[in-house]
């Protein structure tokens, strides 16, 4: 437990109005600040990938306040997003490639491959059994002692089982390239959503605040969201050199936002409003430390490390709050120091033998020597 009574009485108030914010006519709201790409709360090094971050032997950034510029030549654009071209590992499988199994006899209706899923698919309260073949899914309903077949024209792969429509019974997500299919056994519905070629599933989450999850798909240069409730695919143009940071509630409204690192921008996809919000970060190195509630208001903020600054980006009111920290430092993490809503950021400013405490809800920074 930190002794707040021992904190230095010296404090610095940060002017929250010292920011630039304006609304663009097309998808974005840009706040102009110089900042820096992607990280976590550990000393692990990271590269950009379609699904977020993965480790690499080649350092890019660290959680230390003194950070180096990333090697711009160590990345290349692929159909999946951005990967480290120094890594010679196997490429990420596209949805089409992952859906293909070994060559089957074209005249055979089903192959020897099968998999079994046990869930309540039709919402009647009984656990049903779905048997997945290479080109057919058969669901047996024990309460009625009946079966229902859902057939496909070629080989498929099941992505997962989840509630996509907010109604009783779970649905089955199926990779049926170039489509993503959803089997809704309650309504005996088989819906196909055209995605295209070369895509990978990022995950499933409630992106619009309406009951039922959506499916996030990387289909460069787009990020697409399959919304089974309104039977649509929402597409967001991202261009080149981007990667998904994560999904979280950043504005305090129903539904999560998708955080995207896009070149010199931090972008939030707000599927509930069918828009994007973009913060300009500048050409210098920056990385994301994490997402946490620092001001006590609904929605998390993103903590960003850059040279001699720790900045907090607040999507809820389209602002950023910058706190200058000199010398070498690293982040110990967010902590609740005052038992008030919102967490404080604790920084070990070892270059000056002191701790730095950021009280973001009151725009203050405090110091304690050690």
């Amino acid at each position: 437990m930190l002794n707040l009574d021992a904190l230095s009485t010296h404090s610095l108030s940060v002017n929250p109005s010292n920011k630039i914010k304006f609304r663009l006519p097309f998808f974005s709201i840009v706040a102009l600040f110089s900042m820096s790409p992607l990280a976590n709360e550990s000393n692990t090094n990271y590269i950009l990938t379609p699904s977020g971050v993965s480790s690499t032997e080649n350092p890019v950034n660290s959680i230390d306040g003194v950070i180096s510029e990333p090697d711009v030549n160590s990345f290349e654009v692929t159909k999946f997003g951005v990967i480290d071209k120094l890594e010679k590992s196997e490429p990420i499988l596209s949805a089409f490639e992952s859906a293909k199994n070994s060559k089957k006899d074209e005249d055979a209706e089903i192959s020897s491959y099968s998999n079994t899923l046990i869930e309540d698919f039709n919402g009647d309260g009984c656990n049903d059994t779905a048997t997945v073949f290479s080109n057919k899914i058969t669901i047996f309903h024990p309460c009625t002692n009946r079966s229902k077949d859902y057939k496909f024209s070629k080989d498929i792969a099941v992505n997962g089982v989840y509630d996509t429509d907010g109604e009783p019974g779970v649905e089955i997500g199926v990779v049926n390239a170039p489509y993503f299919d959803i089997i809704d056994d309650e309504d005996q519905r088989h819906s196909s959503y055209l995605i295209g070629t070369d895509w990978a599933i990022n995950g499933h989450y409630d992106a619009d605040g309406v009951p039922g999850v959506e499916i996030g798909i990387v289909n460069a240069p787009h990020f697409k969201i399959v919304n089974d409730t309104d039977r649509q695919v929402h597409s967001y143009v991202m261009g080149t050199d981007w990667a998904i940071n994560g999904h979280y509630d950043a504005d305090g409204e129903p539904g999560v936002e998708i955080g995207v690192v896009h070149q010199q921008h931090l972008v939030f996809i707000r599927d509930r409003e069918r828009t994007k919000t973009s913060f300009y970060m500048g050409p210098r190195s920056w990385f994301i430390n994490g997402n946490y509630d620092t001001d006590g208001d609904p929605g998390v903020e993103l903590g960003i490390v850059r040279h001699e600054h720790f900045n907090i980006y607040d999507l809820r009111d389209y602002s950023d709050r910058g706190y200058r920290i000199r010398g070498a430092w690293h982040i110990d993490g967010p902590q609740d120091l005052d038992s008030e809503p919102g967490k404080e950021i604790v920084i070990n400013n070892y270059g000056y033998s002191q701790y730095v405490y950021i009280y973001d809800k009151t725009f203050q920074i405090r110091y304690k020597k050690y």
Side-chain angles (χ1 to χ4, degrees):
M1 178 63 70
L2 294 170
N3 183 5
L4 296 183
D5 295 334
L7 290 179
S8 168
T9 56
H10 175 70
S11 65
L12 174 65
S13 295
V14 177
N15 182 4
S17 65
N18 185 21
K19 59 201 176 191
I20 303 174
K21 54 183 180 180
F22 55 89
R23 188 178 299 273
L24 291 181
F26 179 54
F27 273 154
S28 57
I29 300 169
V30 181
L32 298 180
F33 284 91
S34 178
M35 307 277 303
S36 95
L38 196 63
N40 225 339
E41 296 181 20
S42 69
N43 286 314
T44 308
N45 299 308
Y46 296 93
I47 62 171
L48 308 180
T49 72
S51 59
V53 293
S54 63
S55 62
T56 173
E57 296 177 356
N58 303 292
V60 177
N61 291 322
S62 72
I63 63 170
D64 290 339
V66 181
I67 57 179
S68 59
E69 298 290 334
D71 180 4
V72 297
N73 295 317
S74 64
F75 298 98
E76 66 175 334
V77 181
T78 73
K79 58 193 176 183
F80 306 106
V82 181
I83 62 172
D84 184 348
K85 68 182 181 182
L86 299 179
E87 277 196 353
K88 301 303 181 183
S89 58
E90 292 296 319
I92 305 171
L93 290 179
S94 68
F96 178 73
E97 292 165 330
S98 64
K100 292 177 62 179
N101 293 313
S102 59
K103 180 65 177 174
K104 306 293 191 304
D105 184 352
E106 295 180 356
D107 297 328
E109 179 183 1
I110 61 174
S111 73
S112 59
Y113 165 80
S114 66
N115 187 33
T116 300
L117 305 171
I118 299 177
E119 295 283 351
D120 181 7
F121 294 104
N122 62 356
D124 64 358
C126 294
N127 277 341
D128 310 307
T129 301
T131 303
V132 183
F133 300 96
S134 63
N135 57 0
K136 181 177 78 168
I137 297 178
T138 299
I139 301 180
F140 173 69
H141 306 102
C143 286
T144 60
N145 200 31
R146 294 181 179 179
S147 295
K148 172 67 178 176
D149 288 340
Y150 298 92
K151 296 183 179 181
F152 303 84
S153 61
K154 55 183 178 299
D155 290 353
I156 62 169
V158 170
N159 169 251
V161 175
Y162 24 67
D163 178 15
T164 63
D165 61 2
E167 298 177 359
V170 295
E171 285 70 53
I172 303 174
V174 179
V175 174
N176 183 27
Y179 299 91
F180 184 80
D181 290 6
I182 292 179
I183 302 299
D184 180 358
D185 192 53
E186 183 198 17
D187 297 330
Q188 296 190 354
R189 171 175 61 89
H190 180 175
S191 298
S192 294
Y193 299 96
L194 179 62
I195 305 300
T197 59
D198 301 328
W199 48 278
I201 296 172
N202 170 250
H204 58 275
Y205 23 70
D206 179 12
D208 62 359
V210 176
V213 300
E214 285 68 54
I215 313 300
I217 296 177
V218 174
N219 182 211
H222 300 83
F223 183 77
K224 296 182 177 180
I225 295 179
V226 176
N227 190 310
D228 190 48
T229 303
D230 62 14
R231 312 290 193 267
Q232 292 182 357
V233 178
H234 305 154
S235 184
Y236 301 90
V237 178
M238 302 306 302
T240 60
D241 300 327
W242 56 278
I244 305 297
N245 169 249
H247 56 275
Y248 24 69
D249 178 14
D251 62 3
E253 300 293 334
V256 299
E257 284 68 52
I258 314 301
V260 181
V261 174
H262 182 209
Q263 299 179 6
Q264 298 176 13
H265 296 82
L266 174 63
V267 180
F268 294 95
I269 295 175
R270 311 173 80 178
D271 192 55
R272 181 186 63 259
E273 300 177 357
R274 312 292 191 269
T275 62
K276 294 187 300 183
T277 299
S278 178
F279 290 95
Y280 178 67
M281 311 300 284
R284 299 197 65 176
S285 295
W286 57 276
F287 72 86
I288 298 172
N289 172 251
N291 61 86
Y292 21 67
D293 177 18
T294 62
D295 61 3
D297 293 330
V300 299
E301 286 71 49
L302 263 66
I304 307 288
V305 172
R306 66 166 189 165
H307 180 64
E308 291 192 344
H309 286 80
F310 184 83
N311 282 58
I312 294 175
Y313 277 76
D314 190 339
L315 178 64
R316 189 170 184 266
D317 59 8
Y318 312 113
S319 67
D320 104 285
R321 300 178 283 275
Y323 302 89
R324 188 171 185 178
I325 305 169
R326 297 177 181 273
W329 51 279
H330 68 79
I331 299 169
D332 282 353
Q335 299 181 26
D336 183 9
L337 302 180
D338 57 6
S339 300
E340 298 290 334
K343 292 185 177 181
E344 288 66 51
I345 308 301
V346 180
I347 295 174
N348 187 342
N349 189 192
Y350 56 88
Y352 281 82
S353 300
Q354 64 184 359
Y355 285 105
V356 177
Y357 305 95
I358 296 175
Y359 288 76
D360 187 52
K361 55 180 164 288
T362 56
F363 314 113
Q364 289 186 329
I365 184 169
R366 304 177 186 177
Y367 306 88
K368 177 188 176 183
K369 286 287 186 179
Y370 60 79

